[in-house]
Amino acid sequence: MTTSYKLEAVKNLKAEKEAERIKEAEELKAAQDAEEKKHQANLNRIANKMARIEAGLPVEEEVVEKPAPKKVAAKKKAPAKKKAPAKKKPAAKKKGRPKKSK
């Protein structure tokens, strides 16, 4: 058997999910409207350009200046120093049983 608090938690969760779905649908519709508006503006621009071409007028491109991204000064790396040759280690002592002395 389920208890009342579990049933209430499930009901609240379903309500939250429904609210999320509504919010996502609104955001999607807003994004689609913005995209459609942008597309229509582009089509109008092309239609105006084609009309100027047909009329024999010179076609000048509208230059839309975008703000130039700030350039980050590249850090210069210091030239790599050559490593000194490694010093040879003295011969290691042999392991094992020492020799008998006479």
Side-chain angles (χ1 to χ4, degrees):
M1 268 185 138
T2 56
T3 56
S4 62
Y5 69 89
K6 287 184 181 179
L7 291 173
E8 191 172 321
V10 169
K11 189 185 295 183
N12 289 338
L13 183 61
K14 286 183 180 181
E16 287 177 17
K17 284 189 175 185
E18 184 63 29
E20 282 183 23
R21 287 188 197 112
I22 291 171
K23 183 180 176 184
E24 287 176 358
E26 290 172 353
E27 289 174 354
L28 180 63
K29 180 152 178 52
Q32 287 174 343
D33 289 343
E35 187 68 30
E36 182 63 27
K37 191 174 185 180
K38 184 178 173 183
H39 182 66
Q40 287 300 322
N42 191 34
L43 290 178
N44 289 339
R45 182 188 60 80
I46 293 172
N48 290 340
K49 187 174 181 180
M50 292 303 294
R52 293 186 87 185
I53 290 172
E54 290 174 3
L57 298 172
V59 180
E60 295 180 13
E61 292 289 327
E62 293 181 19
V63 178
V64 179
E65 293 185 27
K66 295 182 181 178
K70 295 181 180 178
K71 293 184 179 179
V72 179
K75 294 181 181 178
K76 294 183 179 180
K77 294 183 178 179
K81 295 181 180 179
K82 293 185 179 180
K83 293 183 179 178
K87 295 181 180 177
K88 293 184 179 180
K89 296 181 181 178
K93 294 183 179 179
K94 292 184 179 181
K95 295 182 180 179
R97 186 172 178 187
K99 291 185 176 183
K100 290 184 183 179
S101 57
K102 289 190 181 181

